[in-house]
Amino acid sequence: MYQVWFGETTHLQDPSPSYFANGRTAWSAVPSGAGIDTVGNVVSLSQSGSTTVKVYGRPTGSDTYQIGDAPNGALFVSGFE
């Protein structure tokens, strides 16, 4: 079992719909021998004084490109430095 993060859009049916995706965890059942270990960098999302951290669709800090958020302390693996 691998713990993975994914984006979940939970506000599409709200009176004011939002297409932002909120980071959620899930467990992926991978059959024995089917997983491939690879190299990556573990990234811990951290923002002082906040319960969530913004997630962007491109490498910028502009709110124009914010596509969602994830909980403070969420761990991701990146192939990039």
Side-chain angles (χ1 to χ4, degrees):
M1 299 286 285
Y2 290 92
Q3 184 179 18
V4 296
W5 286 89
F6 67 98
E8 180 180 32
T9 51
T10 58
H11 303 285
L12 294 176
Q13 303 301 320
D14 289 357
S16 296
S18 171
Y19 294 97
F20 278 16
N22 303 105
R24 303 278 192 250
T25 57
W27 289 92
S28 178
V30 178
S32 181
I36 299 172
D37 290 329
T38 185
V39 177
N41 297 302
V42 177
V43 178
S44 175
L45 301 184
S46 172
Q47 184 171 334
S48 179
S50 180
T51 59
T52 61
V53 179
K54 295 178 180 178
V55 175
Y56 298 92
R58 58 178 54 188
T60 179
S62 171
D63 284 348
T64 301
Y65 299 105
Q66 183 182 355
I67 59 172
D69 61 22
N72 210 6
L75 298 175
F76 291 86
V77 175
S78 173
F80 300 100
E81 291 185 26

